[in-house]
Amino acid sequence: MNRRYLQLALPSPLRQNFDYLLPAKIDPPPVGARVRVPFGRQEQIGICLGLSTTTEVPEEKLRVASEALDEESVLPPSLFQLCQWAAGYYHHPLGEVFDTALPVLLRQGEPLTSPGELRWRLTRLGELYPLDGAIRRAPKQIEALLKLREHPDGLIPPLLASLGIERPILLALQKKGLAECITLTPAEPVKAPGGLLREPHHALSSEQRSALAAISTHSGQFRPFLLFGITGSGKTEIYLQAIAAALERGEQALVLVPEIGLAPQTVARFRARFQTEIAVLHSGRNERERLEAWRAARAGQAGIVIGTRSAVFTPLARPGLIIVDEEHDLSFKQQDGFRYHARDLAVRRAQLENVPVVLGSATPSLETLANARQGRYELLELKTRAAGASTPAFRLIDLRQQKLQEGFSDPLLQTIKATLARGEQVLVFINRRGFAPVLLCHDCGWQARCRRCDARPTLHRAPARLHCHHCGSESAPPVQCPSCGSTDLRPVGLGTERAEDFLTKRFPKVPLFRVDRDSTRRKEALTQLYHDIHGAGPALLVGTQMLAKGHHFPKVTLVAILDIDGGLFGADFRAPEHVAQLVMQVAGRAGRADKPGLVLLQTHQPEHQLLRELITAGYSAFADRVLEERQQLGLPPFGHLALIRAEAPDAAKPMAFLQGVASGVGNNLQLWGPVPAPMEKRAGRFRAHLLLQSERRAALHGALANLIPHIEGLPDARRVRWSVDVDPQDID
Ligand code: ADP
Ligand code: ZN
Ligand code: ZN
């Protein structure tokens, strides 16, 4: 008799499949089903990739699978393929890809479907099968057969157990083709009486109408769209109406939003519009909630699935439309472990599912914009703001020779004063939380440094502490300089807390709302802040990028960006793109209602070409210029990058290790490095980089495929922590 070998993907850093013996007592699981197996000294749950009659593992080394958990694949074929594709593209172990794709509780062995959904029932053959046939000498099977005949809709496992019908009996019937285990046919999205809509749609502008029409005419086909529209131009309204059309067709929609975009009001807006179940998946949910949302999506019961990055892996029974809102947002890229980009996977998924995918942004990533310029994505533009609001004007304030008070120039303070006097709100954007980024000894020049990182900890007050934002370590600020003993220690630079102090003193009668990670730590704090801001009259809003994203502040007519230079000159080639996106996003908060808005940018570089281009010609022109530069340098999206990172507690190891890696790279690639990372030491570990660049994606992937076995064979491969990052977003 042929032995049967199971091929499994297991969550392991090893880039290989694992073979196990399938004992006779276990029926061959279908591809995509979970199987429990012994692994090392423990048990693990793997995903079945197939069965084989041969194996390359010596027979005596093979272990025996313990249990098959599913009668069907946990993922629909399209998602299973997506995972396999992603493992190849990102050169990441398939088992870990599945581990990211599946809810934690499923990985721990929870049932695939909610109790009651999975049912055993008879096949046609089972219904008609003569009791004196082949099973006449198996009384338990006869008993089960009779019981199932009483229940043509099938029985759920707990009920079968309570009837004394055990799994092996059912499996025996299944083997003979008499019974089958089914997941109930995907439920129709729950439609309340009175139709799909809870509130009517807006009547669309002509721009919006043609965008919607383009999306809707491609239902049931793969087609990527870039919905490029300034903040407030009505992109979300288009999502809502495109989703409505999908729901009408009985399909489901998947909506991906950035981390920060999944504030309660986003979901509230969807709930206000639709009477369908909405499955919400994000990190604030507990594992049980995530599993239930996942199941509701998979069963087809939830019409809409909204989630952050990893929601791209949510199975849908009847996929109809995929939307990625704020597609340029960096939170779509996973920055550790399996370093995938959810936006890119969303496009790939749409292709596998044959559905349209809409990437929406006021400031598209240059990758997406280039795809649109080259005609790979259909460009849908919204150039005017919905509801007739005007777009803000930009003005630069030249900081050279200006006297600054806590980072504020005089012209800025005057404008703030005038705006408040008109009864309007002012948003002050500072991309740094805490009080001050540096603690300096005025006598000897000593600066506080993090012991575990090449970084300065930020000074916070209430409670006073030095907090390193890179490794999280905290300490009390010294009273005396550890170097010279002086007590003249001064905070240098500006964080949101310091701006709050200063503005409160300067405008004592005006309420000030600070919005950053520290002020919104409590659950619901952000919602409360938004609520208070909306209720307030003239007010100051001080905050980090939390203020820049997603939320609308109709009373804000002045936006001040205190330090634009900081970001423009970052080491990363993407720095200008990211700064421009941030500026436009913050600017989008101004002038929403009937009053025009003004955006003031303080800079030491008023002549800076790109900055001027951005504020005079707009994001699109800016982006085209940056794209030209990238093309000349062969940088993404024209060239392709992979970053190999290495880190170790030993200072010399990562560089030496990457030298070894570099020696295995073929000469058809450009190599940069190895070099120490811009922040060489972080959280007590030393870090180094090796950057691979190629004009051709295929060449890069071919080289990586050859390189990885070489890396795995290096003597230090297990002593140095290393990773491969394909299409890195942060070269840090
Ligand atoms: P975006 O997602 O591009 O920022 P929204 O869809 O949130 O824009 O629209 C901005 C505001 O304009 C919202 O308050 C929305 O309800 C409103 N709005 C959008 N489209 C229309 C329309 N066609 N008619 C009237 N109001 C609209
Ligand atoms: Zn000193
Ligand atoms: Zn640190």
Side-chain angles (χ1 to χ4, degrees):
M1 173 190 139
N2 275 339
R3 305 220 66 153
R4 294 174 304 171
Y5 305 106
L6 256 183
Q7 291 164 337
L8 295 182
L10 284 166
S12 147
L14 301 177
R15 288 167 169 81
Q16 62 169 71
N17 300 331
F18 296 84
D19 288 2
Y20 279 83
L21 259 177
L22 184 68
K25 68 175 163 69
I26 301 184
D27 280 309
V31 169
R34 291 169 301 163
V35 181
R36 195 190 299 279
V37 294
F39 191 72
R41 289 189 196 156
Q42 292 160 342
E43 291 212 305
Q44 281 277 19
I45 290 176
I47 300 289
C48 175
L49 301 176
L51 278 139
S52 171
T53 50
T54 59
T55 175
E56 290 175 3
V57 184
E59 187 81 22
E60 67 278 9
K61 288 208 173 155
L62 277 176
R63 302 179 74 178
V64 182
S66 333
E67 185 190 3
L69 295 173
D70 307 303
E71 271 103 14
E72 57 180 322
S73 172
V74 293
L75 295 173
S78 56
L79 262 187
F80 189 82
Q81 270 176 281
L82 182 73
C83 289
Q84 285 184 310
W85 182 84
Y89 185 85
Y90 293 105
H91 297 270
H92 200 77
L94 180 59
E96 291 194 350
V97 174
F98 284 128
D99 220 36
T100 300
L102 295 174
V104 168
L105 291 179
L106 278 190
R107 287 184 251 140
Q108 293 171 353
E110 288 265 336
L112 179 56
T113 47
S114 317
E117 221 174 77
L118 193 74
R119 287 169 191 228
W120 282 91
R121 68 172 185 200
L122 293 180
T123 58
R124 282 281 296 159
L125 184 62
E127 278 164 22
L128 306 170
Y129 201 72
L131 298 181
D132 57 354
I135 62 169
R136 68 181 184 281
R137 253 168 273 153
K140 289 198 157 181
Q141 292 181 28
I142 291 178
E143 195 186 313
L145 197 76
L146 289 173
K147 208 70 199 163
L148 286 168
R149 279 189 185 165
E150 293 172 29
H151 295 275
D153 288 332
L155 288 172
I156 59 173
L159 198 54
L160 286 160
S162 71
L163 294 167
I165 301 173
E166 286 155 9
R167 249 178 85 77
I169 305 296
L170 293 163
L171 291 172
L173 290 177
Q174 187 182 36
K175 219 163 158 182
K176 299 192 175 83
L178 302 181
E180 60 186 352
C181 185
I182 52 150
T183 309
L184 271 196
T185 36
E188 282 298 309
V190 181
K191 274 191 207 167
L196 209 53
L197 296 185
R198 217 184 279 279
E199 61 174 23
H201 292 310
H202 281 296
L204 297 182
S205 69
S206 62
E207 272 182 334
Q208 282 177 313
R209 251 198 325 273
S210 44
L212 180 66
I215 298 164
S216 296
T217 47
H218 288 91
S219 70
Q221 300 163 39
F222 168 60
R223 183 149 185 110
F225 295 94
L226 166 56
L227 180 58
F228 183 4
I230 55 172
T231 322
S233 59
K235 296 185 292 298
T236 310
E237 186 63 32
I238 293 175
Y239 304 153
L240 292 170
Q241 300 201 20
I243 291 171
L247 293 173
E248 290 290 353
R249 292 189 297 268
E251 299 166 350
Q252 295 167 283
L254 171 66
V255 184
L256 300 181
V257 294
E259 246 23 293
I260 216 163
L262 203 50
Q265 67 269 15
T266 311
V267 180
R269 196 161 164 197
F270 280 79
R271 288 204 202 287
R273 184 68 56 97
F274 295 111
Q275 318 224 31
T276 179
E277 187 175 331
I278 299 181
V280 181
L281 287 140
H282 61 83
S283 54
R285 304 234 128 175
N286 74 26
E287 293 307 335
R288 178 70 43 194
E289 288 173 303
R290 292 173 75 87
L291 178 61
E292 286 312 318
W294 188 92
R295 284 169 168 168
R298 183 177 184 274
Q301 190 181 316
I304 303 173
V305 179
I306 307 181
T308 46
R309 186 171 61 227
S310 65
V312 72
F313 296 108
T314 314
L316 299 173
R318 297 177 307 278
L321 176 66
I322 301 178
I323 290 167
V324 184
D325 189 28
E326 310 285 359
E327 66 82 34
H328 64 279
D329 195 89
L330 288 179
S331 73
F332 287 123
K333 178 81 198 284
Q334 169 112 346
Q335 302 285 16
D336 54 22
F338 169 34
R339 296 171 153 83
Y340 65 98
H341 202 306
R343 177 238 298 147
D344 297 345
L345 286 187
V347 174
R348 180 73 195 157
R349 179 167 178 187
Q351 188 175 25
L352 291 166
E353 310 264 28
N354 263 320
V355 299
V357 55
V358 181
L359 311 180
S361 178
T363 53
S365 66
L366 296 193
E367 278 80 358
T368 298
L369 201 59
N371 276 320
R373 297 272 189 258
Q374 291 157 13
R376 276 196 291 270
Y377 295 178
E378 182 171 342
L379 179 63
L380 307 172
E381 272 189 283
L382 301 179
K383 292 189 166 161
T384 51
R385 280 186 165 183
S390 54
T391 46
F394 288 85
R395 228 165 58 214
L396 295 179
I397 296 181
D398 185 353
L399 283 181
R400 291 169 301 185
Q401 283 128 32
Q402 288 264 8
K403 230 179 75 202
L404 295 182
Q405 300 178 58
E406 304 283 50
F408 289 79
S409 67
D410 230 38
L412 176 56
L413 287 169
Q414 293 308 327
T415 316
I416 292 176
K417 191 172 162 195
T419 308
L420 294 171
R422 287 198 304 273
E424 295 159 11
Q425 298 184 345
V426 176
L427 188 159
V428 176
F429 173 80
I430 301 167
N431 208 12
R432 195 183 287 129
R433 64 196 170 97
F435 189 79
V438 180
L439 184 65
L440 175 82
C441 170
H442 192 59
D443 286 327
C444 78
W446 170 89
Q447 294 183 5
R449 300 197 70 85
C450 176
R451 274 185 301 116
R452 308 178 65 218
C453 306
D454 288 330
R456 290 182 288 245
T458 300
L459 183 68
H460 287 252
R461 45 135 229 236
R465 64 196 191 279
L466 288 167
H467 181 188
C468 174
H469 293 176
H470 302 286
C471 69
S473 67
E474 289 192 348
S475 58
V479 182
Q480 283 186 305
C481 172
S483 171
C484 75
S486 160
T487 53
D488 192 1
L489 296 178
R490 298 185 182 182
V492 178
L494 187 72
T496 46
E497 293 177 354
R498 192 172 197 172
E500 176 184 17
D501 276 13
F502 170 71
L503 291 171
T504 310
K505 275 190 211 112
R506 181 82 189 214
F507 302 101
K509 298 210 185 82
V510 179
L512 184 145
F513 303 95
R514 201 186 90 218
V515 183
D516 56 28
R517 279 245 292 285
D518 300 301
S519 72
T520 55
R521 229 166 260 285
R522 243 179 346 99
K523 222 181 156 188
E524 303 307 316
L526 189 59
T527 313
Q528 185 63 46
L529 268 170
Y530 286 151
H531 182 261
D532 294 347
I533 291 168
H534 281 278
L540 286 155
L541 284 52
V542 174
T544 56
Q545 30 179 326
M546 284 189 95
L547 269 182
K549 302 203 175 171
H551 203 78
H552 307 156
F553 300 102
K555 294 179 188 166
V556 168
T557 56
L558 174 64
V559 166
I561 301 180
L562 285 205
D563 177 23
I564 178 79
D565 300 345
L568 272 181
F569 308 110
D572 200 308
F573 72 88
R574 287 185 214 268
E577 175 186 353
H578 292 160
V579 175
Q581 287 164 347
L582 202 52
V583 168
M584 298 318 272
Q585 297 285 331
V586 189
R589 309 302 118 201
R592 306 259 333 177
D594 46 342
K595 300 176 185 117
L598 175 65
V599 182
L600 289 181
L601 298 106
Q602 297 195 135
T603 175
H604 283 99
Q605 313 257 338
E607 315 301 338
H608 194 284
Q609 271 255 326
L610 285 176
L611 186 56
R612 296 214 79 91
E613 185 95 31
L614 178 67
I615 64 168
T616 55
Y619 183 81
S620 190
F622 162 90
D624 285 337
R625 179 172 290 248
V626 177
L627 278 172
E628 269 168 40
E629 286 182 13
R630 298 248 190 115
Q631 185 153 29
Q632 279 159 18
L633 297 171
L635 286 169
F638 304 99
H640 306 283
L641 300 177
L643 185 67
I644 312 221
R645 294 186 175 87
E647 58 175 63
D650 176 338
K653 269 227 156 77
M655 283 293 287
F657 178 73
L658 289 181
Q659 295 287 3
V661 174
S663 72
V665 180
N667 49 12
N668 56 340
L669 291 193
Q670 287 236 50
L671 269 191
W672 304 96
V675 289
M679 185 186 300
E680 186 177 8
K681 190 174 150 205
R682 189 163 79 191
R685 305 174 75 90
F686 291 86
R687 307 153 70 238
H689 285 168
L690 178 67
L691 188 64
L692 278 51
Q693 183 180 13
S694 174
E695 277 166 37
R696 293 190 312 116
R697 200 183 275 291
L700 182 67
H701 281 282
L704 280 173
N706 291 329
L707 185 60
I708 286 170
H710 166 80
I711 303 178
E712 283 170 338
L714 292 173
D716 269 343
R718 299 193 173 212
R719 280 180 286 263
V720 170
R721 200 187 283 170
W722 60 275
S723 63
V724 177
D725 190 352
V726 176
D727 304 335
Q729 294 296 310
D730 261 335
I731 310 211
D732 67 338

